[in-house]
């Protein structure tokens, strides 16, 4: 059964990460992914939107898929996923193929088998947690 990394390890990740590709980032204000990305920007992270239907989100160029985002936007420290759980297996396969260092599955994005597969491939993996809430808690 998949278990998230220790709290101290998650906190260390949040302190060292600089760029976050957000899969499923909505260009609609008020949507959870848009709010989280906006708040992460306020903490100083560079957001790399991944949304095949958008050209730009939150002032950043949007990319149609993870591979083009990595190739076009430069190094990505974290891939933050706002997609339905049934999309996770293909995302994990892409993350492994693209050698993504960190995979973060947002609250409600739960796929224990895929999360464990990512971890077994050497990817630091967090599941069913909100990256913004975890980052905000660092300042508390």
């Amino acid at each position: 059964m998949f278990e998230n990394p220790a709290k101290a390890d998650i906190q260390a990740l949040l302190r060292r990460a600089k760029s976050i590709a957000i899969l499923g980032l909505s260009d609609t204000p008020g949507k959870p992914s848009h709010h989280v990305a906006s708040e992460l920007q306020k903490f100083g992270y560079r957001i790399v939107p991944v949304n095949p239907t958008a050209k730009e989100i939150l002032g950043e160029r949007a990319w149609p898929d993870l591979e083009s985002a990595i190739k076009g936007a430069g190094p990505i420290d974290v891939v933050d996923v706002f997609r339905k759980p049934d999309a996770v297996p293909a995302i994990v396969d892409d993350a492994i193929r693209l050698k993504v260092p960190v995979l973060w599955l947002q609250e409600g994005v739960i796929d224990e088998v895929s999360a464990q597969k990512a971890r077994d491939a050497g990817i630091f993996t967090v599941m069913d947690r909100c990256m913004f809430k975890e980052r905000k808690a660092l300042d508390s």
Side-chain angles (χ1 to χ4, degrees):
M1 185 141 160
F2 178 84
E3 287 188 26
N4 278 315
K7 184 176 182 175
D9 293 334
I10 292 173
Q11 290 173 336
L13 162 72
L14 293 170
R15 285 188 179 97
R16 75 176 175 268
K18 303 281 186 253
S19 61
I20 304 167
I22 302 185
L23 273 63
L25 176 53
S26 175
D27 58 356
T28 305
K31 293 272 190 166
S33 64
H34 193 274
H35 173 71
V36 166
S38 175
E39 293 298 323
L40 290 172
Q41 276 185 324
K42 291 175 187 172
F43 282 115
Y45 296 107
R46 180 174 65 101
I47 299 301
V48 179
V50 179
N51 179 329
T53 65
K55 297 285 184 225
E56 183 179 290
I57 304 173
L58 294 169
E60 297 288 343
R61 176 179 174 180
W63 300 90
D65 55 54
L66 182 57
E67 185 170 4
S68 62
I70 290 171
K71 288 180 179 178
I76 303 292
D77 298 319
V78 179
V79 174
D80 189 9
V81 179
F82 276 93
R83 298 282 311 278
K84 291 183 179 176
D86 62 0
V88 173
I91 291 168
V92 167
D93 289 344
D94 282 348
I96 292 168
R97 180 176 55 82
L98 297 168
K99 297 178 173 47
V100 166
V102 177
L103 183 66
W104 190 294
L105 305 175
Q106 281 292 139
E107 286 180 338
V109 182
I110 301 168
D111 181 330
E112 295 208 14
V113 171
S114 294
Q116 189 61 51
K117 181 178 178 180
R119 171 160 302 142
D120 291 346
I123 299 172
F124 185 97
T125 306
V126 178
M127 181 176 70
D128 195 27
R129 295 268 182 92
C130 176
M131 192 171 199
F132 163 60
K133 289 178 184 175
E134 295 289 327
R135 176 55 187 84
K136 187 176 178 184
L138 285 179
D139 296 335
S140 307

